[in-house]
Amino acid sequence: MQIKACRLLLRGFVMEKFTLQNVPAASLNRKMRDMFVDLIDITMDDKGRGCLKSVPANFGYVFFWYGWLNQKTLTKLYPLYIPKEKVKEIKRAKKQNSALKLRDQVSDFLFSIVRDHPEVVGEGHAEVHLALLAPKLRHATVTDAAKALKNYAVRLEKLEAFTRKNLRRKTSKAVEEIEARFETVDFIKEKELAKCADEYFWDDECGYVELAHHRLGCEVQVRVHFKGDESLGDVAERIDKVVSPIKPVLDPMFRFGKSRWPF
C-alpha cells in the first residue's frame, strides 16, 4: 500500500504545472514589455543602470531579459535622454561606421528609456533557473551512496537527452539556449516559504538569505523566447510546455535573485 501511495504522489508531482509565485492574477494579462516596470528594483548598481527582480516559481525562478529593442522607436527617443554633445557624437560615429549599434552607444541610458517607454521593447527571453540537487552523502554507507548516485545519474541522463533534443531542433525558436553546470544552489523549501512575507521575493532578499539552504546541484538555465506584445500568462504557459519533459527530475524549490543586466 505504501508503494502504491508513493507512486500516486509521484504521478501528481510529475503533472505539477510550472507556476510563477506571488504574481497577482491581473499581472498575467500584462504585456511583457509593460512588465518591465513591475520588475524594477529600487537597488541600483554603481553605474546607475538599475536592475530587475526575478520572479520566483515552484521550480526555481525566472529572469526576464529585454535585449531585442525596436530600433525605430529607440532612434526616436534616445535624444530626449542623452546630452546634445553625446547625440552629435553618436551621429558622427554612425556616418563613419554604419555597423555601430545604437543600443551599445546608449547603453548607460537604456534603463531609463525603457522604464519610461516600454514600447521600445521588441522581444526578449525568459531565463528560467532550475536545479537538480545532488544527493546528500555525508554519513551514508557505501551501498546507500552507490544507489543515490546511480539514481542521480539517471536524472542527469534525462536532462542531457532533453538538452540535446531541444538544441537540435531547427524548426522551433521557443528554446534559445540551455545551460547546465554544477555549483552551489541556494533555495528554500515550501514549508519555509510560509514563514516569509511576499516582499522577500520582490523587494528584499534579507529574509531569503537567512532561510536559504545551500546544496551542490546541477544548475539548469533554459532560455525561452518571447515577444513584447505577448502576455506574461502566455510566456508562463510556454515555459511550462518547454520544461515539462524534465519536470519529473527537477527539485521543486523557491529561489530569489536580481538581474543587473536587463539588456
Side-chain angles (χ1 to χ4, degrees):
M1 288 296 294
Q2 290 181 340
I3 295 177
K4 184 176 181 180
C6 289
R7 287 175 177 173
L8 290 174
L9 288 172
L10 180 59
R11 288 173 187 169
F13 165 69
V14 169
M15 298 303 293
E16 184 177 354
K17 193 178 185 67
F18 181 93
T19 307
L20 301 177
Q21 305 295 303
N22 301 340
V23 176
S27 292
L28 295 175
N29 295 321
R30 287 175 64 77
K31 292 183 178 180
M32 289 305 302
R33 59 170 55 95
D34 296 324
M35 281 298 299
F36 185 91
V37 177
D38 293 356
L39 295 170
I40 292 175
D41 194 285
I42 59 174
T43 303
M44 306 290 280
D45 68 11
D46 56 356
K47 294 183 179 179
R49 289 192 177 95
C51 63
L52 299 183
K53 295 168 286 189
S54 67
V55 180
N58 52 339
F59 284 96
Y61 64 95
V62 185
F63 281 142
F64 293 106
W65 182 80
Y66 291 86
W68 290 306
L69 306 176
N70 185 309
Q71 294 303 308
K72 290 184 179 180
T73 306
L74 180 60
T75 301
K76 178 182 178 181
L77 292 171
Y78 87 86
L80 303 176
Y81 290 80
I82 295 177
K84 292 182 179 179
E85 289 302 317
K86 179 66 175 177
V87 173
K88 293 178 180 179
E89 179 184 326
I90 290 174
K91 291 182 177 179
R92 285 196 300 266
K94 185 66 176 178
K95 290 181 179 179
Q96 297 174 1
N97 184 0
S98 59
L100 286 175
K101 294 182 178 180
L102 179 59
R103 195 191 92 168
D104 296 334
Q105 293 173 289
V106 300
S107 59
D108 290 342
F109 304 89
L110 274 180
F111 194 92
S112 297
I113 295 173
V114 177
R115 178 191 60 201
D116 297 341
H117 300 277
E119 65 270 23
V120 173
V121 175
E123 302 176 32
H125 67 230
E127 186 176 280
V128 187
H129 288 246
L130 312 164
L132 286 72
L133 297 177
K136 291 182 177 180
L137 301 180
R138 189 175 183 180
H139 303 309
T141 64
V142 173
T143 300
D144 290 340
K147 290 180 179 178
L149 291 172
K150 184 176 181 179
N151 290 335
Y152 193 59
V154 172
R155 295 170 65 193
L156 292 176
E157 287 173 0
K158 292 181 179 179
L159 171 63
E160 196 277 334
F162 164 81
T163 302
R164 184 175 64 253
K165 181 178 180 180
N166 276 281
L167 296 186
R168 283 184 177 178
R169 288 179 178 172
K170 296 181 179 180
T171 56
S172 175
K173 296 182 180 179
V175 180
E176 297 170 23
E177 188 175 0
I178 302 173
E179 296 181 8
R181 60 180 179 272
F182 277 87
E183 60 182 44
T184 300
V185 177
D186 57 85
F187 64 97
I188 66 174
K189 300 176 182 178
E190 186 172 7
K191 65 180 181 179
E192 294 154 341
L193 182 65
K195 302 176 183 178
C196 297
D198 289 352
E199 60 265 21
Y200 286 132
F201 290 104
W202 288 97
D203 302 313
D204 183 7
E205 58 186 320
C206 294
Y208 172 82
V209 170
E210 292 172 357
L211 291 172
H213 301 273
H214 299 270
R215 287 265 303 275
L216 176 65
C218 182
E219 167 85 7
V220 184
Q221 296 179 20
V222 182
R223 295 178 183 172
V224 179
H225 181 265
F226 68 78
K227 294 183 179 180
D229 58 0
E230 289 186 276
S231 72
L232 176 62
D234 288 340
V235 176
E237 288 286 344
R238 184 177 306 132
I239 293 173
D240 179 66
K241 183 177 180 180
V242 166
V243 304
S244 283
I246 57 169
K247 278 193 289 187
V249 302
L250 296 174
D251 286 291
M253 60 181 66
F254 299 87
R255 303 170 67 185
F256 179 86
K258 295 179 183 178
S259 174
R260 295 188 179 274
W261 304 101
F263 305 107

